[in-house]
Amino acid sequence: MAKAYWVAAYRSVSDPDALAAYAKLSGPAIIAGGGRILVRGVPAVTYEAGLEQRTVVIEFDSVEHAQQVHDSPAYQEAMALLGTGAERDIRIVEGV
């Protein structure tokens, strides 16, 4: 079974306090669900469109596992704290 990667790109953060509250719950929820946070931060270097967006990459054992963690009550509680404090794009992609 191929691993899966949850990729989040933050277009903007309008409420840093909401993001901090989200982070306090989301990290532990993801790790408890078996996710491994590989990348978290702004790009060191950008190419092509050159977007300097905060990016997070989390590895999971499968797409289904990543979906289960995203949809879990613990992660959804973190999402409720974030609310509209950030505009972001989350994708779950299968590894090769």
Side-chain angles (χ1 to χ4, degrees), residues 14-57:
S14 59
D15 187 343
D17 292 336
L19 181 59
Y22 160 82
K24 281 185 181 180
L25 294 185
S26 65
I30 289 165
I31 291 168
R36 294 166 295 283
I37 299 170
L38 303 178
V39 173
R40 180 174 37 206
V42 295
V45 177
T46 60
Y47 294 101
E48 306 289 331
L51 300 175
E52 299 255 347
Q53 297 175 329
R54 176 179 172 77
T55 304
V56 178
V57 178

